[in-house]
Amino acid sequence: MKRIASFTLCLLFYLISQSQELSQVKYSNGSALTSFSFITDQKIVIRISDDGKIVEWGNLWDKGYYNYYPGKLQQYMGRVEYYGAEGDSINIGKVKSIGTCFITYYGSFEIPTNAGKVKTIGRTNLNYYTNFENEAFTGKLKSAGNTALNYYSSFDNEAIIGKPKSIGFNQITYYTTFDDKVLQGKIKSIGNMKYTWYGSTDRREYRGALKSPATEQIIGGINFIVL
């Protein structure tokens, strides 16, 4: 009996450890959030937009490769299936599984702002802000598994409205309309990590480019890719 209990407990820990939790967050131009990433049991990266649409999927490049580029994925050559007539009509043609990872979507009969959005990636549940929330983040990802997400509201500075305010325990700040015009809307800090950029007084070809830190940073257990 003890052996059965031990086996069950080990299996439970294994399943938890293999869950597809949020692993990456990607920004473009240092300002616009482009995707949230989840890594499956088969090490396949699945990326979705903040409004619950699948953006891309593939395998991570090894950083030792000569053509490595932060955030770039290799094409996944394995099995990919799509929903047909057996599913809700709103989801016909959408990705059903990538490798052994199954994906489900909210149906047309559910909350209108959720309809058609990704509902689960493997064992990770995704929830979204509804139209009862502030209009600046209605329809955006609210939680991914145990990771909660908050956004700047329509009452905040116009340069940061709708941008992620916190992802998990990581607080995120941005340069506002009170800062250098070249920097407005760009990331200022993620958690304790400070971001600095070349401003309007720097050489023209550098303006708006990231000065420090490096493009990829693991902050609070999440890989932030700021391009």
Side-chain angles (χ1 to χ4, degrees):
M1 195 70 182
K2 287 183 178 180
R3 295 175 69 179
I4 295 175
S6 297
F7 173 80
T8 303
L9 188 60
C10 289
L11 179 61
L12 177 61
F13 281 130
Y14 172 79
L15 292 175
I16 291 173
S17 68
Q18 294 298 306
S19 62
Q20 291 77 28
E21 290 295 334
L22 178 64
S23 63
Q24 293 180 344
V25 177
K26 186 179 177 183
Y27 281 82
S28 65
N29 197 34
S31 175
L33 185 143
T34 58
S35 66
F36 295 107
S37 299
F38 303 83
I39 301 180
T40 74
D41 299 351
Q42 295 178 301
K43 306 303 180 185
I44 304 166
V45 176
I46 300 176
R47 288 183 172 145
I48 69 166
S49 59
D50 63 358
D51 61 351
K53 298 181 177 66
I54 291 182
V55 175
E56 62 176 340
W57 62 86
N59 298 111
L60 287 173
W61 285 93
D62 189 309
K63 288 187 178 182
Y65 281 34
Y66 74 94
N67 56 351
Y68 173 79
Y69 183 78
K72 182 180 179 181
L73 299 178
Q74 297 183 67
Q75 182 179 0
Y76 173 64
M77 304 302 292
R79 185 179 181 84
V80 179
E81 296 186 341
Y82 298 82
Y83 281 97
E86 79 282 0
D88 189 307
S89 59
I90 197 174
N91 296 320
I92 291 176
K94 293 183 178 179
V95 178
K96 182 178 184 179
S97 65
I98 301 173
T100 58
C101 180
F102 284 88
I103 300 167
T104 65
Y105 302 82
Y106 286 93
S108 56
F109 56 88
E110 301 190 70
I111 298 173
T113 50
N114 285 357
K117 297 179 186 292
V118 176
K119 185 175 186 178
T120 63
I121 296 178
R123 290 174 290 278
T124 299
N125 295 312
L126 306 181
N127 294 300
Y128 303 85
Y129 286 95
T130 69
N131 53 5
F132 298 107
E133 319 282 352
N134 186 276
E135 61 182 0
F137 42 80
T138 294
K140 292 180 181 290
L141 188 64
K142 185 175 186 178
S143 65
N146 296 319
T147 305
L149 298 99
N150 292 297
Y151 303 81
Y152 286 95
S153 76
S154 56
F155 302 108
D156 289 300
N157 185 274
E158 62 181 294
I160 64 176
I161 291 174
K163 295 180 182 294
K165 185 176 184 179
S166 66
I167 299 177
F169 296 109
N170 298 310
Q171 298 295 314
I172 306 174
T173 64
Y174 304 82
Y175 290 92
T176 70
T177 55
F178 299 108
D179 295 302
D180 186 333
K181 188 175 182 179
V182 173
L183 305 181
Q184 291 175 13
K186 291 184 179 292
I187 293 173
K188 191 173 187 179
S189 68
I190 301 176
N192 295 322
M193 184 67 66
K194 306 297 182 184
Y195 284 75
T196 59
W197 308 80
Y198 289 98
S200 57
T201 59
D202 292 300
R203 291 174 55 176
R204 185 180 299 275
E205 62 269 30
Y206 292 159
R207 293 174 188 173
L210 182 63
K211 185 183 293 186
S212 68
T215 298
E216 290 188 78
Q217 296 293 325
I218 305 295
I219 308 171
I222 298 173
N223 182 16
F224 285 86
I225 302 172
V226 180
L227 301 174

